[in-house]
Amino acid sequence: MKLNIALLAGDGIGPEVIDQAVKVCNAIASKYNHELNWRPALTGAAAIDVVGEPYPDETHEICVSSDAVLFGAIGHPRFDNDPSAKVRPEQGLLKMRKKLGLFANVRPTFTFPSLIDKSPLKRERIEGTDLVFLRELTGGIYFGKRGREDNGNTAYDTCTYTRKEVQRLAKKGFEMAMKRSKKLCCVDKANVLESSRLWRETVQAMEKDYPEVTVSYEFVDAVAMRLVQWPNSYDVLITENLFGDILTDEASVISGSMGLMPSASIGDSIGLYEPIHGSYPQAAGKDIANPLATVLSAAMMFEDFNLLDEAQAIRDVVNKSLDQGIVTEDLAEGAKAYKTSEVGDWLASRI
Ligand code: IPM
Ligand code: MN
């Protein structure tokens, strides 16, 4: 297969972890006879520095004319403590999601047998966890009307959803549940929020089209608690943008390190694959960040191209590296910590 892949390294540790994913993908390509054409483009603070815009038009052109986007991370501390900053790197990510129509963010959470004791949660709670969040990504409070009133002394952000937006996300959730254990949880706050009531009513109306799927409706606060108590009780969870943002960070604790969790953002056409961690500026340039979340995101990309052996080969070699302790410092715990680039080299050579 010949694939054009837009490569958006972004900020902080983005370029370092992306480099490792590229090594791994190239190794896969030569093993399975694919041709990967990498098309680098600017995004985030790195793009603001060069063109004054976190998601430049040229980058968008490269993305839409590619078969997939592999993305590193976005964000820079110089913007974080400056509420008056007019342009922020994160706006680039939001604009990109919107312009590429990436309305569903698929965030799996699973445990790695060799890391089970690295999680702060007890082994018996988390063993066997295999759940996936479908987070709505282009609506809700992230994109609603916002502003200031009263001379800047009052601020508001609004959460708006249309039935269509809920339906298309829920459809992906039902389809995913059909392929897995036929269990779907709709996470909302329907006891308080009108937008949540629209979510619940829309999903309820879709149940008849998927008679085999058992749907539960749970409030987000209760899910936040049960997620770390009984993660095993969940399989596919669908939720709105902000709830999904928060719960997926929480869920990453189950796996033992945020540096492990991949994600795919999908919509009607092109997919974007990125680690769920951020730009981790303290580690930027030090060659210490864990590249596995990005590498596993690349596996999700191969899976979406229906290249299932390729995806599995990546997961297998990642598991091997964990078993053999070829890990970065976040997982080393006193044992030898490998550099980001060494982990990437090891994975590529084993493939
Ligand atoms: C994520 C991130 C982003 C989000 C930020 C960087 C805008 O936290 O992908 O989860 O909130 O969606
Ligand atoms: Mn987040």
Side-chain angles (χ1 to χ4, degrees), residues 166-168 170-171 174 201-210:
V166 180
Q167 274 165 345
R168 64 184 184 178
K171 182 166 182 280
F174 276 107
E201 143 195 333
T202 306
V203 177
Q204 276 168 345
M206 293 170 77
E207 279 189 43
K208 62 173 180 343
D209 301 327
Y210 304 89

Side-chain angles (χ1 to χ4, degrees), residues 2-3 5-6 8-9 32 39-40 43 66 127 145 152 161 201 203 205 216 247 261 265 287 299 343:
K2 199 175 159 198
L3 297 169
I5 304 171
L8 275 49
Y32 292 89
R39 308 174 74 204
T43 182
S66 297
E127 217 158 30
K145 204 169 158 221
Y161 270 107
E201 143 195 333
V203 177
S216 66
L247 291 178
M261 291 290 107
S265 299
D287 204 18
V343 173

Side-chain angles (χ1 to χ4, degrees), residues 133-145:
F133 273 95
L134 263 140
R135 165 190 175 194
E136 201 290 327
L137 206 56
T138 52
I141 202 164
Y142 274 59
F143 292 91
K145 204 169 158 221

Side-chain angles (χ1 to χ4, degrees), residues 187-189 191-192 218-227 243 247 250:
V187 184
D188 62 31
K189 187 73 187 171
N191 51 347
V192 179
E218 296 180 34
F219 298 139
V220 61
D221 46 353
V223 174
M225 184 182 66
R226 272 193 51 194
L227 192 58
F243 297 162
L247 291 178
E250 187 194 357

Side-chain angles (χ1 to χ4, degrees), residues 107 135 245 249:
R107 294 189 168 186
R135 165 190 175 194
D245 179 45
D249 266 30

Side-chain angles (χ1 to χ4, degrees), residues 74 90 93-94 97 105 107 135 137 142 241 245 248-249 274-276:
I74 224 167
E90 289 80 3
L93 186 57
L94 301 182
R97 289 171 177 169
N105 186 214
R107 294 189 168 186
R135 165 190 175 194
L137 206 56
Y142 274 59
N241 204 342
D245 179 45
T248 53
D249 266 30
E274 61 171 313
I276 84 156

